[in-house]
Amino acid sequence: AYSYHYALAKDGMFALGANLIPGKSVKSLKPLFDQEIKSLRETVVSEKELQAAKVQVMKYFVDELTTIDGKARALATSEIQTGSYQNMY
């Protein structure tokens, strides 16, 4: 299972997905997704978990800036998400 978010300047989305193993049906996933969505709505993220997530995001961001491709991607992402590449800084 996996999840991701896609944020834009005004709107965004959050998605959940899964890869099925052979022999499992798509219908078997619905209860699992329903359970995960309920958990996301009702469970408060601990301060420790929040800090760990922030560190992961910052590490990913800094690591991306070590290449020209990563810098270009960061500038483009900032432009798309915030409306200006200059907001990256």
Side-chain angles (χ1 to χ4, degrees):
Y2 56 89
S3 65
Y4 65 90
H5 77 283
Y6 186 67
L8 300 171
K10 295 183 180 179
D11 296 310
M13 72 174 193
F14 178 78
L16 296 172
N19 298 320
L20 291 172
I21 59 173
K24 292 290 184 178
S25 72
V26 173
K27 289 181 181 180
S28 68
L29 291 177
K30 185 169 181 344
L32 298 173
F33 279 106
D34 290 343
Q35 180 182 352
E36 188 62 27
I37 291 168
K38 181 180 179 189
S39 175
L40 288 169
R41 286 181 176 166
E42 296 176 355
T43 304
V44 177
V45 175
S46 71
E47 186 62 31
K48 182 178 178 180
E49 188 176 7
L50 178 61
Q51 290 306 316
K54 287 180 178 182
V55 167
Q56 285 179 336
V57 168
M58 184 57 74
K59 181 183 182 322
Y60 175 78
F61 178 74
V62 171
D63 287 349
E64 278 284 300
L65 296 178
T66 61
T67 67
I68 296 297
D69 181 61
K71 290 174 185 174
R73 185 177 293 116
L75 289 168
T77 299
S78 183
E79 180 73 26
I80 292 166
Q81 291 179 343
T82 69
S84 174
Y85 72 91
Q86 294 176 330
N87 291 327
M88 187 178 91
Y89 301 105

